[in-house]
Amino acid sequence: MQTVSSDQDSVLLIEANLDDEDGESLGFAMDLLLEAGAFDVFFTPIFMKKNRPAIKLSVLCAPAERDRFASMLMKHTSTIGVRYQRMQRVIMKRHFKTVETRFGPIRVKVASHGDLVKQMAEYNDCAKAAREYGTSLETVKQEVDRLLNS
């Protein structure tokens, strides 16, 4: 069972503005960054000088990983430089449990902060079960929710 016990830490936000990158290259870069351990990768549509449409590529990672992720951005995108800033965040404590459903075992993320508790079925487990049982993703998620709330 993986547990995150701290409710506060630091992350690094690394960004690059890209006005000459195609969608396939952006998707490939996102996959590589996530596979390398980035906490999150996301795109924001922006306008650059001369009203050129562009994409801002943002990566959240551990502060100690700055150089590795900056190098990856410069290698796998058209950027010639990146910006970064350290950010504080408050996070919910997290752990996983498994719920036995009629579609097989489904992992559930349990997040808590004070007296607030959230439970979310893991997408990959639900999607795998939906494919295997020939049902909808929503049906699997509803089954997990029913078991969690019974």
Side-chain angles (χ1 to χ4, degrees), residues 66-136:
R66 182 194 69 199
D67 292 342
R68 185 165 72 96
F69 282 105
S71 292
M72 287 183 72
L73 280 171
M74 289 185 278
K75 178 178 181 178
H76 296 289
T77 72
S78 60
T79 194
I80 58 174
V82 300
R83 301 174 302 281
Y84 63 90
Q85 60 182 311
R86 190 180 195 117
M87 306 174 96
Q88 297 300 116
R89 66 178 180 170
V90 175
I91 57 176
M92 298 179 83
K93 295 176 184 173
R94 299 179 295 271
H95 70 275
F96 290 87
K97 67 181 182 182
T98 301
V99 175
E100 293 297 329
T101 74
R102 62 189 165 118
F103 304 110
I106 304 289
R107 287 176 299 148
V108 174
K109 183 185 299 179
V110 181
S112 63
H113 184 75
D115 61 355
L116 177 62
V117 177
K118 297 180 180 183
Q119 298 185 94
M120 297 134 307
E122 282 295 294
Y123 167 79
N124 288 339
D125 290 3
C126 292
K128 180 180 176 191
R131 284 186 189 97
E132 287 178 6
Y133 284 83
T135 191
S136 70

